[in-house]
Amino acid sequence: MTTKQFFGLEWKQFRRSSFFEKGLAIKILMLLAALYFAGIAILAGVGIFFIFKKSFPDQDPFLIINNYLIYWVLGDLALRYFMQQLPVMNIKPMLLLPIKRQSVIQFLLLKTSFSFFNILPLLFFIPLTIVLMVQGYNPLMALLWFVSILAISFSINFLNFILNKNNSAFYVVVAILASLICLQYFGIFDITPYTGVFFNSFYSIGFTVLLPLALVVFLFKANYRLLRKNFYVDGAVQAKKEKFKNYNLEFLNRFGTLATFLKNDVKMITRNARPKQVLLMSFFFLFYGLFFFTQDIYKDMPVVIAFAGVFVTGGFLMTFGQLVPSWDSEYYKLMMSQNVSYRKYLESKWLLMAIGCGVSFILSTPYIYFGWETYVMIAAGASFNIGLNSFITLFGGALNRVPIELNQKAKAFSNTQGFNPTQLLISLPKILGPVIIFYIPYKLINFNAGIVALALSGVLGLVFKSYFLKMIEKIYQKNKYKTISAFSEKK
């Protein structure tokens, strides 16, 4: 088969999908988001040279750009791991037809060339290269530098294949990136001058372009061998056998009838790819405050500090909680056929989110370094998350009927599972609610009054816990069969 025929099959599969028309609005929103980021990349590519030239008039802007490219490499690699969807084809029928395996594998790898994450660097580096030429840099050497950067971008793309098969390798990359940023931030070690020499050599020497080109070829062949090794009918149809560890979760028995649900959720989170990804993302929310608490400009903006304080402890609630009950979509019909109490089911989810907020609050203790006011604000945000935000999140779950494949990671611009426009509407009170609750007393009285109001809102939520759960339970029961029907649909 030719590449054109492969693309024809891909288009028919996409167009004839049962979810095509249902997800059309989401696809349009994602297209608009992609265009937005594309426009930002183009503007950044045009303007970054002049920004550095104005900020550092005594230095060559091109050298500064080369110095910081190492962070682009590591950051792009980490971003792709979370967001980039690996190419997928329905290969079982093709393995029974007289089609060369080589052609199918090469097409799978070729598909990655059209990934948005490969196009985005082009939209940044092409304008930058043109600016370099206009500013008097050698056109030929600038072109060689661009080819080298392009080769590195594709190397990152193929390396992402390997990292997705090896979580340990990814964690090593994240640890290296975090270490380099911390070492530079605290003035201990700055790696940029050393890596800058390497990236600048693509322009100053030229023939070093062979290094990234060789790396692309090597990683392409490595991925080809990896796919070819498992490209057989038996490997495609044979059920994957996995071994799971049995955890001693007896300590959860103290929660009585809720223990069964809690144990099931803990096992789900520790055994499946999507929940693990969400758990890791919720951990990164702990560092959200660093973007605001370290900037002097925000010290005179208490509303922004309140906003950040809520997010520091709300990571697990917002990432895991917003997908209730989609986490149970694969066995929701079976669960609803049992004698399951909706009230206990919802209460177990609430308790899990509350525990997540509590653990996040404990882990946020180092923020005391920025002052007791900051830490008290985080405590007030934790109170709001546990007492009010958790119930708002559960209410949003009643309107969420998008099934989730537990062992499929969420990828941007490709996988829309677990996402719908309803979530965007429900997210508004979760974001604006704490800001309004804090701002009104702060404006009318003082800063401390705003903190007390935010903390008391969470306490009031706990007081009316039974009422909120009863109200949400009625909504879940009303939509029970609609939810079962929606979860039964497959892409």
Side-chain angles (χ1 to χ4, degrees):
M1 293 183 66
T2 63
T3 301
K4 181 179 180 181
Q5 290 173 314
F6 278 124
F7 275 116
L9 291 175
E10 289 288 297
W11 170 251
K12 290 176 182 177
Q13 182 183 19
F14 170 74
R15 181 63 182 86
R16 296 172 181 175
S17 170
S18 61
F19 276 73
F20 176 77
E21 292 183 359
K22 291 183 179 181
L24 190 59
I26 296 175
K27 291 180 176 63
I28 293 174
L29 289 175
M30 294 173 68
L31 177 61
L32 293 175
L35 292 175
Y36 170 78
F37 286 112
I40 293 295
I42 294 173
L43 291 175
V46 173
I48 190 170
F49 180 91
F50 301 103
I51 292 174
F52 281 134
K53 186 176 182 179
K54 184 178 180 180
S55 303
F56 306 96
D58 299 331
Q59 300 183 44
D60 185 351
F62 187 43
L63 291 178
I64 300 176
I65 293 172
N66 283 322
N67 286 349
Y68 285 94
L69 282 179
I70 182 62
Y71 290 113
W72 162 69
V73 172
L74 295 175
D76 190 27
L77 189 58
L79 185 66
R80 285 174 185 264
Y81 179 87
F82 283 111
M83 309 293 282
Q84 185 179 5
Q85 179 70 42
L86 298 182
V88 177
M89 285 185 68
N90 187 9
I91 64 171
K92 294 178 185 178
M94 295 185 180
L95 295 177
L96 303 175
L97 297 174
I99 301 174
K100 292 183 179 180
R101 291 184 176 88
Q102 178 181 357
S103 301
V104 180
I105 296 173
Q106 288 179 349
F107 176 74
L108 278 172
L109 296 175
L110 179 64
K111 280 181 65 177
T112 62
S113 301
F114 299 92
S115 167
F116 178 76
F117 291 91
N118 286 332
I119 297 174
L120 197 62
L122 285 176
L123 298 177
F124 175 82
F125 287 109
I126 289 178
L128 176 57
T129 304
I130 294 174
V131 169
L132 292 174
M133 293 179 180
V134 173
Q135 291 296 312
Y137 290 84
N138 188 306
L140 176 60
M141 303 307 288
L143 186 61
L144 288 176
W145 176 83
F146 170 74
V147 171
S148 302
I149 298 300
L150 183 62
I152 291 175
S153 178
F154 278 95
S155 298
I156 297 171
N157 177 71
F158 292 126
L159 183 58
N160 185 41
F161 275 66
I162 301 173
L163 293 182
N164 269 268
K165 302 296 182 181
N166 188 345
N167 289 333
S168 299
F170 167 72
Y171 295 136
V172 170
V173 172
V174 172
I176 292 174
L177 177 59
S179 299
L180 291 176
I181 293 175
C182 291
L183 290 173
Q184 183 173 353
Y185 180 79
F186 292 105
I188 300 173
F189 175 72
D190 186 2
I191 195 176
T192 56
Y194 304 98
T195 56
V197 173
F198 172 72
F199 288 107
N200 191 60
S201 68
F202 300 141
Y203 175 84
S204 60
I205 300 177
F207 67 83
T208 52
V209 68
L210 297 176
L211 293 176
L213 291 176
L215 183 61
V216 171
V217 174
F218 171 78
L219 291 173
F220 181 89
K221 290 185 176 180
N223 281 285
Y224 178 87
R225 288 192 295 268
L226 180 64
L227 291 173
R228 182 62 186 264
K229 184 179 179 181
N230 300 287
F231 212 78
Y232 296 96
V233 175
D234 292 342
V237 301
Q238 186 176 5
K240 184 179 180 181
K241 297 180 181 179
E242 297 187 48
K243 293 182 180 180
F244 297 112
K245 294 180 180 179
N246 287 322
Y247 300 97
N248 183 8
L249 301 176
E250 298 300 323
F251 67 94
L252 293 175
N253 290 337
R254 69 185 66 183
F255 296 106
T257 55
L258 301 181
T260 302
F261 297 107
L262 291 173
K263 289 178 181 179
N264 183 59
D265 285 332
V266 171
K267 292 176 182 177
M268 177 195 68
I269 292 172
T270 56
R271 292 176 176 178
N272 296 282
R274 180 74 179 272
K276 285 181 181 178
Q277 180 190 25
V278 166
L279 186 63
L280 183 61
M281 290 174 62
S282 66
F283 175 75
F284 288 148
F285 270 72
L286 286 171
F287 303 97
Y288 191 84
L290 294 176
F291 291 103
F292 297 96
F293 302 151
T294 58
Q295 304 295 324
D296 294 334
I297 189 176
Y298 297 119
K299 289 183 179 179
D300 297 327
M301 302 172 64
V303 173
V304 177
I305 300 299
F307 174 80
V310 172
F311 269 73
V312 168
T313 58
F316 183 75
L317 182 147
M318 295 180 184
T319 54
F320 178 87
Q322 71 172 350
L323 298 179
V324 174
S326 293
W327 292 118
D328 305 306
S329 60
E330 293 187 357
Y331 49 86
Y332 197 78
K333 185 186 295 185
L334 173 63
M335 188 170 65
M336 290 296 103
S337 67
Q338 309 297 314
N339 186 21
V340 174
S341 169
Y342 249 130
R343 174 64 175 268
K344 296 299 181 182
Y345 171 77
L346 293 172
E347 192 172 355
S348 70
K349 299 295 184 184
W350 174 86
L351 182 58
L352 191 63
M353 288 187 286
I355 293 173
C357 291
V359 172
S360 297
F361 175 64
I362 295 172
L363 294 176
S364 68
T365 303
Y367 279 112
I368 294 176
Y369 172 81
F370 297 102
W372 283 103
E373 285 190 352
T374 299
Y375 189 64
V376 171
M377 179 66 80
I378 294 175
S383 175
F384 171 82
N385 283 328
I386 295 174
L388 277 185
N389 217 355
S390 55
F391 297 113
I392 297 173
T393 303
L394 283 178
F395 172 76
L399 307 177
N400 178 27
R401 306 188 189 100
V402 182
I404 286 179
E405 293 182 21
L406 295 176
N407 271 312
Q408 179 176 332
K409 295 178 182 177
K411 304 290 184 176
F413 307 111
S414 307
N415 180 6
T416 60
Q417 284 187 322
F419 173 85
N420 60 37
T422 304
Q423 290 182 7
L424 294 177
L425 297 177
I426 295 299
S427 65
L428 292 178
K430 291 193 290 186
I431 295 173
L432 299 179
V435 174
I436 295 174
I437 292 173
F438 169 82
Y439 180 76
I440 294 176
Y442 160 71
K443 198 68 176 176
L444 296 178
I445 307 176
N446 55 31
F447 178 82
N448 292 332
I451 293 179
V452 171
L454 189 60
L456 285 179
S457 67
V459 175
L460 287 174
L462 292 177
V463 171
F464 292 98
K465 171 188 169 185
S466 296
Y467 172 77
F468 288 144
L469 285 175
K470 184 178 180 180
M471 181 181 65
I472 296 171
E473 180 187 6
K474 290 181 180 179
I475 299 174
Y476 272 81
Q477 288 177 336
K478 181 180 179 181
N479 297 322
K480 175 179 177 180
Y481 295 103
K482 290 182 180 179
T483 304
I484 292 174
S485 176
F487 286 166
S488 300
E489 293 188 40
K490 300 293 181 182
K491 282 189 177 185

